[in-house]
């Protein structure tokens, strides 16, 4: 199977799989072929399972306040805080560029 | 264009639902030419000689914050203002090992709202994860109901004053595609000076009802009227307090333009609208901007724009993250949400606190605004236009009903004072009914004076103004102070009339000869003498006698 990837596909940038090397693509192909075995099973008229809890009833909680009030504890977890606010870089952190990704994935087995 | 392609497809599939009506308010749009409509032809290329005017198409996405004590999936309190991050639990902060616990009140609120908007309640609905990265969304995903929401296929009917003189009540309706439960995100405060953003998670996890409306509307006016009606309904139900300025009701408008019968145009999303008034303005501005672009041959971009209330314009927003792939997936930690039709369909042995029964909620529905309006028309015999105004203004209906309890006058005579005089004065000064310096009791007194003939109608209006200005003086006080009372004393009137008659022999002669119109001149002269305080009926009688 061959895959065509747009050079700026957001999903590609989000993924932890390396699409650029032949090895990465082969690995992906193998994974998809493995998953294709699902098609062998006849699933007509059967709802897909989306939760292992499907036999359980969804628990409904009473509307009384029992949580919160732990600002100090939570703020301790953040590297940088200002007056009880969490501090983050401005705007949104952009996805890593292609060059940056290669160094991120250097040590991965994929 | 993953995400936008999906929704654009949905809109294209809905083309057959778009009515091919023509806008009545053509003054808003530049007309190019007025040849016959061409329903059966192929869509024309957009040239300057196209036959039909471009019209706006408006669809609203509304997020209503659920009025509950705690959040949707955690037991943290819900409050408007509190110290930053003080209303945050471990789950809200998305610490590992925490799990969502659905709030029963939120489910009931969604069902109640769905019933009030004539929706079909899905007995089984699912929760999904919508993934995107932003600092105010600590988990990296929002729990929502994309596949199968709790309520679908509803309708919202609304009215507004339109027509040439804005005196005609026009009834419209908009289809509600679905109502879904979802989490709110936290708040980010941008500190541009220090190049950082401050995050407060107090709002993260608060329950929202997202109402998706079909693009049935054509203008800012329609959208504003629809949102106002929704606000009244939600407030009557108590499921949402509907305060737009506090962010309890957030409206995003999807706006595009096209010629009726043709496919829909590219749409833009308009955000940052904090009031109903701004909503109408933002939409109207955006429609005109798009029409201008199309007519000048420029393409309308699919983008997100923000409304700037100072300039009255929409401006492109700084892009959050370009194109989004939300990677929707079922929420694995939550099984399906089941609600039951009635007590009969409850499984045996179920704990009542674990069962949401639609019939019970239906029985508990309070009086909706539409029903209220009809009741006012029935009880008081006022016009639908009047009851619409009464219900539309906060507190005005209560004012009117209190007034009706203390006055003996007919409702139809009283309603004008409330919807014209009182409301007019309030609107001029941008005041609410609760701030009115004239109480229902004082107004009742004024009306009594008018009814018993102590003052004339024009004097009554004067007294009203003075009551407003003085804030507290009673009608009778003002009448006495300014000597506005009608003079009924026949002896006094007699002498004044005699004076006028004696000094105008020519006019008297004309009346005696059959010219009745001159009598009015004599009446006018008497009124001048008495500064308009003479009882007009008596004066006419006396003068008629004298001129026989």
């Amino acid at each position: 199977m061959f895959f065509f990837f747009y050079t700026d596909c957001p999903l590609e940038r989000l993924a932890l799989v390396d699409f650029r090397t032949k090895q990465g693509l082969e690995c992906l192909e193998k994974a998809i072929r493995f998953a294709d075995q699902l098609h062998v099973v006849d699933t007509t008229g059967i709802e897909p399972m989306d939760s292992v809890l499907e036999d359980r009833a969804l628990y409904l909680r009473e509307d009384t306040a029992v949580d919160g009030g732990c600002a100090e504890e939570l703020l301790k977890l953040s590297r940088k805080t200002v007056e009880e606010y969490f501090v983050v870089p401005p705007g949104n952190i952009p996805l890593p560029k292609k060059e940056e990704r290669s160094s991120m994935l250097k040590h991965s087995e994929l | 264009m993953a995400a936008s392609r999906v929704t654009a497809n949905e809109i294209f599939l809905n083309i057959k639902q778009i009515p091919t009506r023509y806008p009545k308010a053509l003054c808003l749009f530049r007309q190019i030419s007025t040849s016959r409509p061409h329903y059966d032809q192929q869509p024309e290329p957009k040239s300057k000689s196209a036959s039909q005017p471009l019209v706006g198409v408006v669809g609203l996405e509304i997020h209503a914050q659920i009025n509950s004590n705690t959040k949707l999936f955690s037991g943290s309190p819900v409050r408007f203002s509190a110290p930053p991050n003080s209303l945050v639990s471990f789950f809200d902060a998305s610490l590992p090992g925490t799990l969502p616990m659905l709030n029963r009140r939120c489910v009931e609120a969604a069902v109640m709202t769905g019933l009030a908007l004539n929706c079909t309640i899905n007995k089984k609905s699912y929760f999904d994860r919508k993934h995107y990265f932003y600092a105010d969304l600590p988990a990296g995903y929002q729990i929502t109901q994309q596949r199968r929401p709790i309520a679908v296929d509803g309708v919202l009917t609304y009215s507004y004053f339109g027509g040439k003189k804005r005196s005609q009540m026009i009834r419209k309706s908009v289809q509600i595609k679905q109502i879904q439960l979802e989490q709110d995100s936290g708040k980010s405060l941008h500190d541009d000076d220090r190049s950082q953003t401050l995050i407060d998670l107090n709002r993260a996890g608060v329950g929202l009802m997202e109402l998706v409306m079909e693009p049935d509307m054509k203008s800012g006016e329609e959208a504003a009227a629809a949102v106002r009606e929704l606000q009244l309904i939600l407030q009557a139900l108590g499921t949402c307090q509907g305060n737009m300025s506090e962010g309890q009701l957030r409206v995003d408008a999807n706006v595009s333009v096209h010629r009726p019968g043709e496919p829909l145009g590219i749409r833009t999303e308009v955000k940052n609208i904090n009031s109903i008034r701004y909503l109408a303005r933002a939409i109207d501005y955006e429609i005109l901007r798009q029409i201008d672009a199309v007519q000048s041959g420029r393409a309308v971009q699919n983008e997100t724009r923000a409304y700037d209330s100072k300039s009255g314009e929409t401006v492109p927003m700084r892009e959050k993250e370009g194109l989004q792939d939300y990677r929707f997936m079922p929420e694995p930690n939550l099984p399906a949400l089941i609600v039951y039709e009635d007590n009969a369909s409850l499984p045996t042995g179920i704990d009542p606190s674990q069962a949401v029964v639609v019939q019970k909620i239906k029985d508990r529905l309070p009086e909706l605004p539409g029903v209220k309006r009809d009741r006012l028309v029935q009880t008081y015999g006022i016009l639908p236009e009047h009851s619409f105004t009464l219900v539309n203004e906060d507190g005005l209906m209560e004012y009117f009903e209190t007034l009706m309890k203390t006055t003996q006058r007919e409702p139809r005579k009283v309603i004008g004072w409330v919807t014209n005089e009182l409301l007019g004065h309030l609107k001029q000064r941008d005041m609410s009914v609760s701030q009115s310096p004239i109480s229902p009791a004082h107004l009742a007194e004024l009306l009594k004076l008018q009814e018993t003939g102590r003052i004339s109608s024009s004097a009554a209006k004067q007294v009203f103004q003075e009551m407003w200005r003085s804030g507290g003086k009673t009608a009778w006080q003002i009448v006495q102070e300014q000597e506005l009372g009608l003079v009924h004393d026949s002896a006094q009137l007699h002498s004044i009339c005699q004076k006028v008659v004696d000094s105008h022999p020519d006019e008297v002669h004309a009346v005696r000869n059959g010219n009745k119109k001159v009598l009015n001149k004599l009446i006018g002269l008497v009124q001048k003498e008495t500064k308009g305080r003479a009882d007009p009926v008596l004066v006419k009688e006396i003068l008629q006698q004298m001129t026989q």
Side-chain angles (χ1 to χ4, degrees):
Chain A
M1 276 191 208
F2 269 104
F3 295 93
F4 288 99
F5 293 102
Y6 296 106
T7 48
D8 209 23
C9 173
L11 195 57
E12 184 188 343
R13 292 199 285 159
L14 286 165
L16 295 173
V17 178
D18 191 355
F19 289 117
R20 293 174 323 133
T21 63
K22 189 156 177 275
Q23 243 186 326
L25 282 180
E26 273 174 10
C27 183
L28 184 63
E29 282 175 28
K30 278 197 205 134
I32 292 175
R33 215 166 294 140
F34 177 76
D36 277 342
Q37 291 176 82
L38 285 172
H39 289 301
V40 172
V41 181
D42 179 13
T43 56
T44 33
I46 300 183
E47 287 284 310
M49 176 201 257
D50 48 33
S51 169
V52 294
L53 308 167
E54 63 175 15
D55 290 335
R56 299 225 197 148
L58 177 52
Y59 179 75
L60 296 173
R61 179 176 55 83
E62 283 303 310
D63 191 25
T64 34
V66 294
D67 272 326
C70 49
E72 220 183 287
E73 262 188 279
L74 291 171
L75 290 164
K76 264 194 228 155
L77 298 168
S78 175
R79 190 157 51 92
K80 191 169 177 205
T81 63
V82 159
E83 278 178 36
E84 295 172 342
Y85 287 97
F86 295 103
V87 177
V88 300
N92 210 5
I93 306 168
L95 291 170
K97 295 199 187 49
K98 291 194 141 224
E99 305 74 50
E100 292 164 357
R101 284 191 71 247
S102 61
S103 58
M104 276 168 65
L105 294 167
K106 223 188 330 189
H107 302 292
S108 83
E109 281 159 15
L110 299 165
Chain B
M1 284 203 162
S4 44
R5 195 197 300 138
V6 167
T7 36
N9 264 334
E10 285 172 26
I11 287 184
F12 273 94
L13 286 171
N14 286 332
I15 282 177
K16 54 185 180 301
Q17 291 180 29
I18 305 293
T20 50
R21 299 177 238 144
Y22 290 91
K24 288 198 175 141
L26 287 175
C27 54
L28 270 183
F29 309 116
R30 272 180 258 150
Q31 238 174 309
I32 302 161
S33 77
T34 47
S35 61
R36 263 183 22 252
H38 43 278
Y39 294 93
D40 304 324
Q41 294 176 18
Q42 296 289 339
E44 275 185 340
K46 289 176 188 155
S47 62
K48 289 198 178 144
S49 57
S51 55
Q52 293 177 82
L54 288 162
V55 300
V57 175
V58 181
L60 298 178
E61 268 171 34
I62 301 180
H63 290 88
Q65 220 174 53
I66 299 177
N67 186 19
S68 58
N69 297 326
T70 58
K71 297 184 180 177
L72 183 59
F73 292 115
S74 73
S76 313
V78 173
R79 228 175 281 152
F80 178 53
S81 55
N85 293 306
S86 61
L87 307 174
V88 185
S89 70
F90 286 3
F91 172 78
D92 302 326
S94 187
L95 299 192
T98 55
L99 292 171
M101 295 252 284
L102 183 55
N103 182 346
R104 188 210 154 95
R105 158 69 184 155
C106 292
V107 179
E108 291 174 344
V111 171
M112 206 187 282
T113 306
L115 290 171
L117 294 171
N118 304 296
C119 294
T120 308
I121 306 293
N122 284 332
K123 302 296 181 307
K124 197 176 192 190
S125 58
Y126 303 118
F127 288 101
D128 306 304
R129 288 185 183 180
K130 179 180 179 182
H131 300 79
Y132 64 92
F133 291 115
Y134 205 67
D136 62 18
L137 195 71
Y141 60 85
Q142 174 200 39
I143 302 180
T144 176
Q145 289 189 302
Q146 192 251 359
R147 278 174 298 158
R148 211 168 144 73
I150 185 149
V152 291
D153 294 339
V155 75
L156 168 69
T157 40
Y158 60 97
S159 311
Y160 62 97
F161 286 114
K164 285 200 182 125
K165 289 184 202 161
R166 298 194 145 253
S167 54
Q168 215 186 354
M169 228 178 59
I170 300 178
R171 272 179 78 104
K172 288 270 171 85
S173 65
V174 56
Q175 302 285 107
I176 308 243
K177 182 160 179 272
Q178 63 190 55
I179 300 178
Q180 60 199 52
L181 282 167
E182 59 182 35
Q183 290 175 305
D184 205 348
S185 65
K187 274 216 187 109
S188 32
L189 302 163
H190 300 290
D191 183 359
D192 293 323
D193 298 335
R194 288 187 202 82
S195 200
Q196 61 189 18
T197 298
L198 306 177
I199 302 289
D200 174 12
L201 296 176
N202 281 347
R203 203 184 65 180
V206 171
L208 295 177
M209 292 181 287
E210 176 170 344
L211 286 97
V212 182
M213 295 185 176
E214 300 286 5
D216 295 340
M217 291 171 282
K218 293 199 149 21
S219 66
E221 186 174 33
E222 288 186 8
V227 172
R228 178 66 186 137
E229 184 67 13
L230 180 67
Q231 220 180 19
L232 290 171
I233 291 175
L234 291 173
Q235 286 166 344
L237 293 174
T239 52
C240 171
Q241 289 172 302
N243 195 325
M244 275 182 86
S245 55
E246 281 181 21
Q248 289 161 344
L249 191 65
R250 283 167 245 159
V251 183
D252 298 331
N254 294 312
V255 183
S256 68
V257 294
H258 79 141
R259 290 175 219 285
E262 290 182 16
L264 296 178
I266 306 282
R267 68 185 177 124
T268 62
E269 192 182 5
V270 183
K271 292 173 109 83
N272 193 37
I273 301 167
N274 305 333
S275 79
I276 293 188
R277 218 180 311 174
Y278 291 159
L279 175 68
R281 285 192 207 153
I283 290 173
D284 287 335
Y285 174 85
E286 183 60 20
I287 290 176
L288 289 179
R289 187 192 72 89
Q290 289 194 13
I291 287 178
D292 186 65
V294 168
Q295 285 176 348
S296 316
R298 285 175 280 132
V300 173
Q301 309 230 314
N302 178 308
E303 59 180 346
T304 306
R305 297 177 75 89
Y307 178 66
D308 177 7
S309 51
K310 288 199 199 89
S311 63
E313 302 180 341
T314 60
V315 294
M317 254 175 108
R318 221 174 21 168
E319 279 190 21
K320 269 192 181 181
E321 176 49 58
L323 312 159
Q324 290 282 15
D325 182 348
Y326 293 116
R327 292 173 291 140
F328 283 101
M329 68 177 247
E331 168 57 60
N333 293 324
L334 294 169
L337 171 61
I338 314 270
V339 299
Y340 300 96
E341 176 61 47
D342 48 31
N343 281 325
S345 49
L346 286 175
T348 43
I350 190 170
D351 183 349
S353 72
Q354 292 301 308
V356 173
V357 182
V358 175
Q359 188 59 48
K360 264 203 220 147
I361 296 175
K362 208 185 263 190
D363 296 336
R364 270 182 11 215
L365 282 177
E367 188 185 56
L368 295 178
V371 176
K372 224 180 260 190
R373 287 187 201 113
D374 291 340
R375 178 173 61 80
L376 288 171
V377 169
Q378 293 286 345
T379 316
Y380 298 107
I382 53 178
L383 294 172
E385 282 82 355
H386 294 146
S387 77
F388 180 80
T389 306
L390 284 181
V391 174
N392 207 36
E393 298 297 330
D394 285 324
L396 198 63
M397 184 187 79
E398 288 76 14
Y399 190 101
F400 175 72
E401 297 208 276
T402 312
L403 179 60
M404 285 315 301
K405 286 204 194 100
T406 47
T407 186
Q408 272 85 38
R409 295 203 75 179
E410 266 178 47
R412 280 205 177 217
K413 299 245 167 74
V414 174
I415 190 71
W417 281 96
V418 175
T419 55
N420 297 337
E421 302 300 324
L422 180 72
L423 193 60
H425 276 75
L426 288 170
K427 286 287 178 198
Q428 252 180 2
R429 294 159 183 77
D430 206 17
M431 289 163 69
S432 68
V433 175
S434 54
Q435 296 170 304
S436 163
I438 303 178
S439 68
H442 283 173
L443 184 53
E445 193 201 337
L446 173 63
L447 295 178
K448 189 155 187 196
L449 288 175
Q450 188 194 3
E451 188 195 6
T452 53
R454 300 297 210 113
I455 49 172
S456 65
S457 306
S458 51
K461 292 221 169 89
Q462 245 181 296
V463 175
F464 185 90
Q465 303 249 40
E466 195 50 46
M467 281 168 79
W468 189 282
R469 262 197 296 265
S470 66
K473 282 209 187 127
T474 67
W476 185 235
Q477 273 179 309
I478 295 169
V479 166
Q480 286 185 308
E481 282 170 19
Q482 302 204 355
E483 295 186 350
L484 291 168
L486 273 181
V487 176
H488 297 281
D489 185 341
S490 55
Q492 199 183 359
L493 285 178
H494 217 91
S495 64
I496 297 174
C497 290
Q498 193 65 60
K499 224 171 54 178
V500 168
V501 161
D502 291 341
S503 55
H504 294 83
D506 297 324
E507 281 82 357
V508 175
H509 195 79
V511 175
R512 285 215 178 107
N513 285 350
N515 189 347
K516 294 296 172 196
K517 282 200 196 144
V518 183
L519 190 66
N520 291 336
K521 186 172 174 196
L522 290 172
I523 295 175
L525 288 168
V526 173
Q527 288 289 11
K528 221 166 97 175
E529 273 293 318
T530 59
K531 295 199 190 92
R533 292 171 50 217
D535 183 348
V537 173
L538 258 182
V539 168
K540 191 165 182 183
E541 264 179 38
I542 296 172
L543 283 175
Q544 274 175 328
Q545 271 183 334
M546 290 180 175
T547 55
Q548 267 172 348

